[in-house]
Amino acid sequence: MPDIIWVEARRRLRGELLDKDYDTWIAPLRAARWSADTLALEAPSGFARDWLRQHFLPALERAVTEASGAPATVLLLVNRELSIPARAGALPGHRAAYATNGAPSRYTFDNFVVGESNRVAYGAARAVVAQPGARFNPLFLCGGCGLGKTHLLSAVATGLAHARPLGTVVCLTAENFVNEMIAALAARRMDRFRRKFRGIQTLIVDDIQFLAEKRRSQEEFAHTFNALHESARQIVLASDRAPHDLPGIEEALRDRFASGLLAYVNPPDPALRGALVERKASTLGVGLAPEVASYLAEEWCANVRELEGALTRVEAYATLSGRTIDLALVREALGPSPVARRGPSLQRIVGEVCQHYRLSRDELSGPRRTARLAVPRQLAMYLCRQHTDVPLARIGAELGGRDHSTVVHALTAIERRLEKDATLREDVSMLRARLHA
Ligand code: ADP
Ligand code: MG
């Protein structure tokens, strides 16, 4: 049990934390016990335990709570027998040049599975390694989460850093760029900062959308960009959207981003999904029957990160339960798929609540706070929270522009009321039944 919860919690943390934090602090932990909603985790040293306590305890508890489905506590212990794996940033020689962004070297061109939906991005990334600065400059990769952008950037960094001197290939996230700039400003070392970034051969920046609304950083980035671009140095960028759809970024900078090759990384098409399942399963050393492989390809492959998480859980579940992997085990290990879980929308929930209490939408999201309106409104928030994974702020926005704390208050108010109010409990079960009809 502790292992199953921990595998799932780790998967969530991996998606949430920087790779280097995950690799350094989370990966070495071992799940020791699970009892009464408390997960005991062992860290390799007292120092690691204290660091985790100070920096990651809320994230750990949130991940374990989500993984176990109920509020959970994390207890941190020390077990000196656990060894500390090598840090991503500590790779030898010139490779440290790109490893500084924490991008693990497991991302290569060879283990990138190519299909229709990522062929252009893949080809362009390879072309950049073959002839940096020559053809596609900048190369701008864009696409949704978990589709392989960071993987391709890291493969370019590895490919280029391989034959070049230390420090000439720089690969980092836009967030790191901003942090370095702020540190340089504070230490009055902007000259050094500029020299560093303008003296490199290849600049690779991930998650460029992070520059949104940061005027000073955008300005500095634009200078760096122009200096490098003018002397035909290669620039590679990745973002969750195309340059012209990036909110909060100066138009001139967006134009610069779009001035080279724009390559989309799209969600995998059916053929690529099949190939990904096969490749990822064989990497994990897991054999899959054809019906299991096609179930995973159809229902668990909206993006590649989702598929990797699903396979890891299936493998852990099979190992721990000593069973072979068949469709029944997969369904048990994974629960309802994201496709099946794609529950009702906010609008639909609000609509059902209005209908049930015979209120108009305007009344429900309006400013009046009489009991006739306040309870249904709070209930709508409560149902939105339970039946979607939309953030609280958006739920508040949907119900008349109310803020995050109003939603939090509504959730506790409804929970309290449900304990003593049988009519409300009935309303909830009727509404739930309708939402799932
Ligand atoms: P993004 O940066 O677009 O959010 P990542 O590059 O972090 O996505 O990819 C998420 C995970 O999926 C990584 O482990 C990555 O190796 C894997 N992945 C994504 N696309 C592919 C692919 N085409 N072939 C193999 N692995 C992939
Ligand atoms: Mg990424």
Side-chain angles (χ1 to χ4, degrees):
M1 192 65 179
D3 286 300
I4 293 178
I5 291 174
W6 181 230
V7 165
E8 173 58 16
R10 246 188 358 211
R11 189 180 72 81
R12 289 169 186 267
L13 288 162
R14 182 174 202 155
E16 193 178 312
L17 301 176
L18 290 175
D19 281 346
K20 75 173 188 315
D21 284 337
Y22 179 87
D23 291 342
T24 310
W25 303 108
I26 307 299
L29 295 177
R30 201 180 73 99
R33 295 192 299 279
W34 167 256
S35 62
D37 291 339
T38 297
L39 180 65
L41 290 175
E42 293 176 338
S45 67
F47 174 74
R49 178 203 53 204
D50 295 342
W51 186 271
L52 283 155
R53 235 183 234 153
Q54 276 173 27
H55 299 91
F56 296 106
L57 195 55
L60 281 166
E61 297 202 320
R62 195 169 351 107
V64 174
T65 295
E66 285 169 5
S68 68
T73 316
V74 166
L75 192 67
L76 288 161
L77 312 168
V78 178
N79 177 352
R80 288 181 211 288
E81 280 165 25
L82 303 173
S83 62
I84 309 165
R87 293 187 50 162
L91 292 169
H94 60 262
R95 284 170 169 271
Y98 76 88
T100 50
N101 77 332
S105 52
R106 64 174 186 270
Y107 296 153
T108 63
F109 285 121
D110 289 342
N111 63 17
F112 190 83
V113 186
V114 188
E116 282 319 309
S117 51
N118 58 23
R119 194 181 304 284
V120 173
Y122 173 84
R126 288 221 92 143
V128 159
V129 174
Q131 289 180 292
R135 282 172 72 198
F136 309 128
N137 203 13
L139 168 60
F140 193 102
L141 301 180
C142 55
C145 162
L147 296 178
K149 300 181 299 296
T150 298
H151 188 132
L152 284 176
L153 291 189
S154 306
V156 170
T158 316
L160 285 175
H162 196 62
R164 287 173 182 76
L166 177 65
T168 58
V169 177
V170 170
C171 175
L172 78 181
T173 61
E175 186 176 6
N176 293 146
F177 179 88
V178 170
N179 290 342
E180 272 198 45
M181 188 197 80
I182 292 170
L185 276 170
R188 299 180 192 284
R189 285 198 171 152
M190 279 310 281
D191 281 355
R192 226 172 82 177
F193 174 86
R194 292 192 178 121
R195 268 203 310 281
K196 171 184 163 186
F197 277 100
R198 287 167 208 184
I200 59 190
Q201 292 292 336
T202 304
L203 178 64
I204 302 173
V205 185
D206 202 357
D207 295 327
I208 202 81
Q209 70 274 6
F210 186 82
L211 292 181
E213 312 299 347
K214 301 188 176 61
R215 293 261 327 256
R216 181 76 178 80
S217 306
Q218 287 180 33
E219 209 177 287
E220 202 54 50
F221 188 76
H223 288 312
T224 306
F225 183 104
N226 291 339
L228 294 175
H229 198 256
E230 271 160 24
S231 43
R233 314 280 173 83
Q234 180 69 47
I235 300 165
V236 188
L237 307 171
S239 157
D240 61 353
R241 283 160 233 215
H244 291 296
D245 296 329
L246 279 172
I249 302 231
E250 295 282 315
E251 197 181 339
L253 193 54
R254 284 188 275 138
D255 287 343
R256 302 296 282 146
F257 290 167
S259 65
L261 180 72
L262 189 59
Y264 287 86
V265 189
N266 293 311
D269 50 274
L272 179 57
R273 291 208 293 265
L276 280 162
V277 171
E278 198 175 299
R279 179 78 79 89
K280 296 285 167 184
S282 88
T283 309
L284 275 177
V286 175
L288 298 178
E291 72 274 12
V292 172
S294 55
Y295 171 72
L296 289 171
E298 273 159 34
E299 306 235 349
W300 289 90
C301 215
N303 70 55
V304 190
R305 193 172 288 132
E306 176 177 290
L307 172 68
E308 288 179 338
L311 278 169
T312 313
R313 274 181 289 162
V314 166
E315 199 257 351
Y317 201 89
T319 312
L320 296 165
S321 64
R323 288 162 50 191
T324 47
I325 300 176
D326 55 17
L327 214 44
L329 176 129
V330 172
R331 286 184 199 276
E332 226 175 287
L334 300 180
S337 75
V339 177
R341 256 188 288 137
R342 204 167 290 140
S345 64
L346 295 188
Q347 291 82 347
R348 165 105 194 281
I349 296 173
V350 171
E352 291 289 352
V353 172
C354 286
Q355 206 178 341
H356 185 84
Y357 291 102
R358 302 187 194 291
L359 301 170
S360 71
R361 270 174 198 261
D362 287 348
E363 280 178 303
L364 196 73
S365 36
R368 298 189 50 207
R369 297 207 274 169
T370 53
R372 187 178 78 94
L373 297 174
V375 176
R377 185 180 293 140
Q378 291 180 332
L379 183 61
M381 294 179 185
Y382 175 83
L383 290 171
C384 287
R385 175 59 176 175
Q386 296 227 312
H387 293 268
T388 69
D389 47 16
V390 170
L392 297 184
R394 257 196 57 211
I395 296 177
E398 179 71 26
L399 283 145
R402 291 176 157 85
D403 64 13
H404 173 267
S405 63
T406 309
V407 183
V408 173
H409 171 76
L411 302 181
T412 28
I414 291 294
E415 270 160 17
R416 279 216 202 101
R417 202 175 255 273
L418 282 172
E419 282 170 19
K420 42 182 208 245
D421 185 341
T423 321
L424 188 65
R425 284 201 295 272
E426 254 169 53
D427 289 352
V428 168
S429 52
M430 267 162 76
L431 281 162
R432 282 216 176 111
R434 243 183 265 145
L435 287 170
H436 286 291

